[in-house]
Amino acid sequence: MGHKYVCLHCHKCYSAGTDFTKFQEKKICPECSSLMFLLNEKFKAPLKCDSTQWEIVKMLIDNGFHYQTIFDPITHEKIPYPRTKKEAEEFIKKYAK
């Protein structure tokens, strides 16, 4: 387990481990040289060929969601991350700050 570096361009995911002192804010993808994003350990990468799920991941990252735990403000229960584009749009509207 551990955090992950994710490349949205070539749809690759690399383990960042658990040593916070070694995390890099700006990590470059070894495949395509694009900037990678550091995501929470809860992130589970979609299949490389599943472009729809990668679009959802991109939508969430672009709106500040790096797969950190989100709690419902009323019930205080953990909110699952969306699985469809429609759910992602609603999730962003509801939980973006």
Side-chain angles (χ1 to χ4, degrees):
M1 278 265 249
H3 285 64
K4 295 161 185 86
Y5 288 110
V6 175
C7 177
L8 297 175
H9 181 72
C10 64
H11 300 169
K12 292 218 174 182
C13 183
Y14 301 93
S15 175
T18 57
D19 186 353
F20 295 110
T21 63
K22 294 183 179 179
F23 289 170
Q24 300 173 9
E25 277 190 46
K26 293 188 178 182
K27 176 101 172 160
I28 302 299
C29 177
E31 289 286 318
C32 68
S33 300
S34 293
L35 184 63
M36 299 181 80
F37 294 91
L38 181 63
L39 300 184
N40 191 294
E41 61 194 23
K42 293 168 186 69
F43 176 73
K44 298 210 179 358
L47 294 174
K48 185 175 179 173
C49 62
D50 192 345
S51 59
T52 302
Q53 289 301 309
W54 280 102
E55 285 179 37
I56 293 168
V57 170
K58 183 178 180 340
M59 282 175 59
L60 292 168
I61 290 172
D62 287 347
N63 285 280
F65 297 99
H66 288 221
Y67 288 81
Q68 69 276 26
T69 303
I70 305 291
F71 292 96
D72 184 282
I74 297 169
T75 64
H76 305 289
E77 293 178 359
K78 288 183 184 177
I79 304 297
Y81 270 76
R83 295 179 180 247
T84 66
K85 284 185 181 180
K86 183 179 179 188
E87 287 176 1
E89 290 168 357
E90 293 170 3
F91 182 92
I92 292 166
K93 284 180 188 174
K94 188 171 183 178
Y95 299 108
K97 294 180 181 180

